[in-house]
Amino acid sequence: MTPQETVERALALSKADDCVVIVDEGSTANLRYAGNTLTTNGVTRSSRLTVISVTGQGVGVVSRSAVRPDQLADVVAAADLASREAPPAEDARPLVGPAVSPDWDVPAEPTSIGVFSAFAPALGEAFAVAETANRKLYGFAEHVLTTTFLGSSSGLRLRHDQPTGRLELNAKSPDMTRSAWTGVATRDFSDVDVAALDAGLARRLDWAKRRLDLPPGRYETLIPPSSVADLMIYLYWSAGARDAADGRTVFSKPGGGTRVGESLSGSPVRLSSDPAAAGIQCAPFVIAHAGGRQRSVFDNGLPLSSTDWIHDGSLAALLQTRHSAELTGLATTPAIDNLIMTGPDGGRSLDEMVASTERGLLLTCLWYIREVDPQTLLLTGLTRDGVYLVEKGEVVGEVNNFRFNESPVGLLDRMTEVGREEHTLPREWSDYFTRAVMPAVRVPDFNMSTVSQAS
Amino acid sequence: MRQIDPDFLALPLRQLADAALQRARDLGAEHADFRLERVRGETLNLFDARLEGSMDADDLGYAVRVIRDGTWGFAAGIELTPEAAAAVAEQAVEVARVAAAVNREPVELAPEPVHAGVTWVSSYEVDPFSVPLKEKVALLADWSAGLLKDPRVDHVAASLMQVKEQKFYADTAGTDTTQQRVRTHPVLTAMRAAEGRFDDMRTLAPPAGRGYEYLTGTGWDFPSEVALLPELLEEKLKAPSVEAGPYDLVIHPSNLWLTIHESIGHATELDRALGYEAAYAGTSFATFDKLGTLQYGSPIMNVTGDRTAEHGLATIGYDDEGVATRRFDIVRDGRLVGYQLDRRMALLKGLGPSNGCAFADSPGHVPIQRMANVSLLPASEGPSTEELISRVERGLFILGDKSWSIDMQRYNFQFTGQRFYLIENGRVTGQVRDVAYQATTTDFWRSMEAVGGPQTYVLGGAMNCGKGQPGQVAPVSHGCPSALFRGVKILNTVQEGGK
């Protein structure tokens, strides 16, 4: 049974008032390596059916993998039963529709280990080069292809193909005291130049041959695009309209309401999402497998378009469902699976920003980022894989790692330079979020709370 | 004793395994294993006593892992026919062939006795999936409504996560195991904006390897704990901000379990210590050359790994490489004496047999070394929590976990909590807020002056410890007593934020 047939049969089987059916056809291929050798690898296939039944205002959601044709009726019946037993959902709205994707009938094509057919030998060659040069390479390459078919009793027949690839490459000295990391997001690995990435890491390991110890304190700091992505993604995830309206977050207005419209930054910075953004394309409609604070199953299929979360330094929108938009009196702006940050025109590259730095720290990545206080969005975390001291426009050596305590909202207000945006891979959140375009930023007083001995 | 569900046993487990393993043998695999797994999970979320979202999901599939020419190959599939299983085995061998280009170290596994035809079921009374959804929603809504009646509470969030995991494993050595276990985690959080602040207070009930009986009086008294939340929240909102500086700490098990998890559990995973996690979660300061010599903590510190503890989240009879699970020492008298192992790691470092720590969180993932229930042992005649507090002139008593972060070699950590009580002259005097404690792992554990007795011991834990690439989540428990630490750095989080 094809995914499209599964959708049609499940919709026909449902006895609920309304029904949404989502079929996710997934395939993955990955290589994981450490110390210039392979550690694990694999290919997988998956198929997941999610049936969302609506009876009155009650919703039942049942999700099953690997459903055989003879099991389909049971899955639909379970969702129908759950919808009858459920109390009324406060986010209940008429289903979205109708709309049909032009490629609805096209079969889903899986990825395979073949996606690495050119990359794997290049990686093996990089291992050989690294071994000769007394470096150890560690990392992970993954390609995931998910095709989602979304159908509804309201006439939706939408389809989305989402390729997600990433390469993470970490080089270390043999004694593990020097470390450098880089990563790239890709749609198909054809654009990954592993030798060039390894050469960049070798340069940074050379920088680290001179070691400098610095105490905790507030430092002028250059934050690279990958780290800016990790911080802004946390901000984005924390931008739920309902939580803000309930007074729970940094985007809550004291006394009630949200801070939409308030200035967050003196810089004309823009934080946005766009499903059609080149190289980071993502689903152009809402896909909600379950309800929650920031998503509603009733919004499935809702069209998505370019959305500014921060515009000209001011908070422009929060993550909304149709329900929360009514509660807050703001526009319906659902979450979108990519994030773009831009500053004023003419932003400089990170290398140019280094060249104009009198004295400051240059980060490589941030790690283990966790929320300390939701009302200020104070985050803690650590630097890793290279913090460098810049003096008179030159990197003069590697500095010890630090634990930081900072809020990305506070950083927006304090940053003194926004560089040129580029495609980047978030370091910490790449398990969940890979589609990002970010600039480097300069912060005059980044709070390095304590020293971390880790190298 | 409970039995494995008949509908799982009715799946063509043996036929699929035979087809896959034979195909792998035919294609020259030196080793092959087959794992068919079904993981069923249900999550409920309520806000202000109303159902906000629920999801009943399962994941069913199987995996074939091979070693061919000294290289791993792994493939996973979902079609339950012998032909499809054989094809997945072929894919696994093909993966090994492609991957050989990047492999420079032949894979071998530590020997393990054959365990043929064995079954194991965890200790629980009521299968959580036998309870109707509406009954669960009604119970959580009832607790939430009770809290909402209290004027000291603005909002209430409630959640319930339940999992049933069923696994069939077979390998070319002749082992085959069939296992089933459940786990449950209810949480209630009361929230309020007052005194110019917003804050919340959450139940401390840990996730447990128990069934639905956990919500109805077995293993935890939820009504009593829920009833205390408004008062605790009100006190927290009115509490003064902590003065930063060094304090003596009495840490309750509801907080200390997470510190154990991060600073001992992950640090003593041998794959981390050997660099296999280096590009992701990181390595460990507890490197292999320090085995037997590293003074991890004070001489009263004894830590075990144990996948046999009753109601433990990592508890199971056999791991995902067919290894019989056991209890083993990690820290003895304050010294590092052991690591958590899988079969490859054990052989690689000449440590004898694996201690059974291989785990995959789904049929689509390869088993990697995951955490056993790593626990700090109580002192057999040790003091009560109150006695520990009585030994402190100026300090803090910390309960409940909240924020956590540790560096990639497990040195520098920072934790917050649910409640912080000021201790003055041996007595608790009231809550303070805006607290985080920050330390280096070995400094912290060496500052432990006393551990409580068995009467203070609680099995805490997490349902979703993350590790590996592609990312996997594992359930794990950590038992510990209350413990006393001297001179730990306390931060004021408001000041840290620049306010």
Side-chain angles (χ1 to χ4, degrees):
Chain A
M1 194 161 54
T2 67
Q4 296 92 335
E5 288 168 346
T6 299
V7 169
E8 300 300 344
R9 286 185 57 181
L11 289 173
L13 284 164
S14 176
K15 294 180 172 55
D17 295 341
D18 274 306
C19 188
V20 178
V21 178
I22 306 172
V23 175
D24 297 294
E25 292 288 315
S27 52
T28 72
N30 64 72
L31 299 172
R32 191 177 187 220
Y33 40 93
N36 293 340
T37 192
L38 186 75
T39 55
T40 56
N41 56 39
V43 295
T44 68
R45 292 286 298 273
S46 64
S47 177
R48 173 161 294 277
L49 167 69
T50 302
V51 179
I52 302 162
S53 294
V54 182
T55 301
Q57 290 193 314
V59 184
V61 182
V62 172
S63 178
R64 297 280 181 268
S65 67
V67 174
R68 300 190 302 270
D70 62 307
Q71 297 173 313
L72 191 56
D74 289 342
V75 178
V76 175
D80 286 356
L81 174 64
S83 73
R84 289 195 298 273
E85 291 188 342
E90 62 174 351
D91 60 334
R93 296 290 181 280
L95 295 185
V96 176
V100 180
S101 297
D103 57 352
W104 171 258
D105 292 325
V106 176
E109 290 294 331
T111 189
S112 74
I113 197 71
V115 76
F116 300 131
S117 57
F119 168 76
L123 183 63
E125 180 60 26
F127 288 169
V129 170
E131 193 76 25
T132 304
N134 223 10
R135 286 192 302 280
K136 298 286 187 188
L137 293 180
Y138 302 76
F140 182 61
E142 179 183 53
H143 194 247
V144 179
L145 186 52
T146 304
T147 300
T148 300
F149 298 88
L150 190 160
S152 74
S153 53
S154 58
L156 292 174
R157 296 294 184 273
L158 298 177
R159 170 211 172 99
H160 178 69
D161 294 289
Q162 185 67 69
T164 303
R166 59 177 164 141
L167 169 70
E168 298 193 31
L169 201 60
N170 190 180
K172 291 182 183 292
S173 59
D175 63 359
M176 308 288 270
T177 59
R178 290 177 289 134
S179 183
W181 177 91
T182 191
V184 292
T186 175
R187 287 171 66 86
D188 60 10
F189 276 85
S190 64
D191 53 350
V192 175
D193 184 346
V194 65
L197 293 169
D198 179 43
L201 296 178
R203 177 186 179 219
R204 285 199 239 151
L205 287 185
D206 276 346
W207 284 350
K209 283 179 176 170
R210 183 181 177 209
R211 169 77 180 214
L212 302 149
D213 289 325
L214 286 180
R218 289 184 176 269
Y219 290 92
E220 176 166 318
T221 301
L222 298 175
I223 308 175
S226 174
S227 299
V228 173
D230 277 321
L231 293 168
M232 292 304 143
I233 287 167
Y234 212 115
L235 181 155
Y236 182 48
W237 285 339
S238 305
R242 284 204 65 185
D243 287 342
D246 285 343
R248 298 168 63 177
T249 76
V250 69
F251 300 117
S252 305
K253 182 182 284 186
T258 74
R259 294 176 64 190
V260 169
E262 278 189 25
S263 174
L264 300 179
S265 175
S267 300
V269 66
R270 179 186 185 211
L271 189 71
S272 62
S273 299
D274 181 357
I280 53 171
Q281 301 95 320
C282 60
F285 53 87
V286 170
I287 303 170
H289 294 85
R293 302 287 289 172
Q294 295 182 12
R295 67 182 62 83
S296 169
V297 293
F298 295 94
D299 290 351
N300 267 304
L302 206 63
L304 299 173
S305 58
S306 179
T307 303
D308 280 6
W309 311 108
I310 296 172
H311 181 81
D312 203 16
S314 294
L315 183 64
L318 296 167
L319 304 177
Q320 301 271 14
T321 63
R322 284 183 292 174
H323 171 60
S324 70
E326 288 176 18
L327 291 177
T328 58
L330 298 167
T332 303
T333 46
I336 297 169
D337 197 17
N338 63 24
L339 197 61
I340 303 158
M341 182 174 167
T342 55
D345 289 343
R348 299 185 291 182
S349 70
L350 182 58
D351 283 348
E352 290 168 332
M353 291 168 71
V354 168
S356 66
T357 298
E358 185 61 25
R359 187 173 192 271
L361 300 179
L362 169 63
L363 297 186
T364 302
C365 12
L366 303 178
W367 184 247
Y368 221 131
I369 301 167
R370 293 294 182 273
E371 182 182 275
V372 178
D373 178 5
Q375 288 202 287
T376 56
L377 199 57
L378 180 70
L379 305 178
T380 194
L382 300 124
T383 63
R384 70 180 289 188
D385 296 314
V387 181
Y388 307 100
L389 180 64
V390 179
E391 289 182 328
K392 296 182 172 56
E394 300 281 346
V395 173
V396 296
E398 186 186 45
V399 177
N400 46 269
N401 280 303
F402 296 97
R403 168 174 297 287
F404 70 88
N405 278 306
E406 275 288 0
S407 164
V409 178
L411 293 178
L412 284 174
D413 192 35
R414 287 159 34 221
M415 61 193 183
T416 51
E417 182 175 2
V418 181
R420 183 162 65 234
E421 69 274 13
E422 60 183 60
H423 288 263
T424 191
L425 182 71
R427 174 72 192 274
E428 175 151 24
W429 305 127
S430 63
D431 285 353
Y432 315 101
F433 203 108
T434 60
R435 285 172 277 279
V437 171
M438 292 282 150
V441 303
R442 184 191 304 272
V443 179
D445 53 357
F446 196 83
N447 179 14
M448 300 297 188
S449 178
T450 48
V451 168
S452 159
Q453 296 165 268
S455 61
Chain B
M1 186 177 174
R2 295 198 61 84
Q3 304 294 309
I4 292 169
D5 292 353
D7 65 336
F8 183 71
L9 296 175
L11 295 170
L13 307 171
R14 193 70 251 178
Q15 297 94 310
L16 297 178
D18 287 347
L21 296 177
Q22 188 56 51
R23 189 68 185 134
R25 276 192 204 96
D26 293 344
L27 293 171
E30 296 107 66
H31 163 91
D33 55 59
F34 172 90
R35 176 171 43 87
L36 188 145
E37 183 169 338
R38 181 167 67 187
V39 183
R40 187 166 177 196
E42 185 177 69
T43 55
L44 308 178
N45 289 293
L46 282 75
F47 195 78
D48 288 348
R50 295 207 284 191
L51 183 64
E52 197 171 57
S54 69
M55 168 72 100
D56 174 355
D58 81 357
D59 193 6
L60 170 67
Y62 55 91
V64 180
R65 189 176 66 154
V66 304
I67 302 171
R68 186 177 183 279
D69 292 337
T71 300
W72 284 126
F74 176 86
I78 52 177
E79 195 182 334
L80 303 181
T81 65
E83 296 75 20
V88 169
E90 287 177 20
Q91 273 188 300
V93 173
E94 171 64 7
V95 170
R97 189 190 65 74
V98 172
V102 251
N103 187 29
R104 304 166 68 88
E105 187 176 88
V107 177
E108 295 180 84
L109 304 179
E112 174 70 14
V114 170
H115 309 286
V118 293
T119 61
W120 183 90
V121 181
S122 69
S123 177
Y124 64 94
E125 293 171 17
V126 181
D127 180 343
F129 295 92
S130 70
V131 180
L133 173 72
K134 60 183 178 184
E135 190 175 322
K136 300 171 188 173
V137 173
L139 181 58
L140 295 177
D142 184 50
W143 288 342
S144 301
L147 284 170
L148 287 167
K149 285 178 188 161
D150 195 303
R152 296 169 294 183
V153 174
D154 291 343
H155 297 290
V156 177
S159 67
L160 176 63
M161 183 184 296
Q162 304 152 108
V163 179
K164 178 158 65 176
E165 180 186 296
Q166 297 161 316
K167 294 193 181 202
F168 172 79
Y169 170 92
D171 62 31
T172 44
T175 285
D176 70 283
T177 67
T178 313
Q179 304 184 87
Q180 177 170 303
R181 57 181 181 162
V182 302
R183 45 191 180 265
T184 302
H185 193 200
V187 180
L188 266 89
T189 306
M191 293 170 252
R192 190 179 183 206
E195 313 290 336
R197 299 165 173 158
F198 172 88
D199 221 320
D200 55 34
M201 186 62 66
R202 177 170 58 72
T203 50
L204 304 185
R210 295 181 185 270
Y212 193 70
E213 72 277 4
Y214 191 43
L215 279 81
T216 56
T218 301
W220 201 264
D221 181 358
F222 283 96
S224 295
E225 188 183 19
V226 170
L228 289 173
L229 294 180
E231 183 183 337
L232 295 170
L233 177 57
E234 183 185 37
E235 186 186 0
K236 188 176 186 182
L237 280 162
K238 291 179 176 173
S241 200
V242 73
E243 183 183 329
Y247 285 77
D248 295 342
L249 304 182
V250 175
I251 305 182
H252 188 265
S254 56
N255 182 275
L256 191 58
W257 76 266
L258 184 50
T259 312
I260 292 169
H261 176 86
E262 299 293 354
S263 69
I264 307 172
H266 280 306
T268 59
E269 296 170 325
L270 186 55
D271 62 341
R272 283 190 69 119
L274 296 179
Y276 281 45
E277 281 277 311
Y280 183 53
T283 58
S284 173
F285 74 93
T287 49
F288 190 70
D289 57 306
K290 295 175 183 157
L291 182 63
T293 59
L294 173 67
Q295 194 64 35
Y296 213 107
S298 70
I300 58 168
M301 180 187 187
N302 290 286
V303 178
T304 58
D306 187 357
R307 298 201 71 188
T308 67
E310 189 174 29
H311 305 306
L313 296 168
T315 300
I316 199 162
Y318 303 86
D319 78 354
D320 285 348
E321 294 184 321
V323 175
T325 57
R326 65 203 66 179
R327 173 174 159 149
F328 52 95
D329 287 342
I330 295 174
V331 176
R332 193 187 308 133
D333 301 330
R335 201 159 40 87
L336 175 69
V337 295
Y339 287 102
Q340 303 163 75
L341 309 169
D342 64 14
R343 292 179 68 177
R344 184 184 189 191
M345 300 291 144
L347 188 76
L348 202 60
K349 303 311 287 185
L351 294 172
S354 165
N355 49 32
C357 291
F359 174 77
D361 70 350
S362 83
H365 285 151
V366 64
I368 56 176
Q369 188 271 298
R370 296 310 307 267
M371 219 179 286
N373 303 305
V374 172
S375 299
L376 174 69
L377 303 185
S380 58
E381 304 290 329
S384 66
T385 303
E386 292 71 25
E387 288 174 281
L388 291 171
I389 290 169
S390 73
R391 299 180 190 181
V392 174
E393 269 188 44
R394 180 178 177 272
L396 295 172
F397 176 42
I398 304 177
L399 294 100
D401 63 83
K402 204 164 190 182
S403 177
W404 71 99
S405 175
I406 191 166
D407 71 35
M408 68 283 184
Q409 284 182 306
R410 305 278 143 172
Y411 285 116
N412 177 303
F413 61 68
Q414 179 175 310
F415 292 90
T416 62
Q418 288 291 313
R419 312 203 295 267
F420 302 89
Y421 292 94
L422 193 63
I423 304 171
E424 294 176 301
N425 301 316
R427 297 170 67 95
V428 165
T429 57
Q431 287 192 54
V432 291
R433 52 178 293 133
D434 308 324
V435 180
Y437 66 98
Q438 204 180 68
T440 296
T441 293
T442 47
D443 290 348
F444 177 78
W445 289 107
R446 289 171 190 170
S447 78
M448 185 169 68
E449 187 179 280
V451 292
Q455 73 275 27
T456 73
Y457 189 86
V458 178
L459 194 64
M463 296 278 267
N464 54 355
C465 164
K467 183 179 175 183
Q469 290 181 304
Q472 298 195 37
V473 293
V476 58
S477 291
H478 302 284
C480 58
S482 294
L484 169 61
F485 300 82
R486 296 291 188 187
V488 180
K489 180 179 182 178
I490 293 294
L491 302 178
N492 180 300
T493 57
V494 175
Q495 291 167 1
E496 283 294 304
K499 301 283 183 179

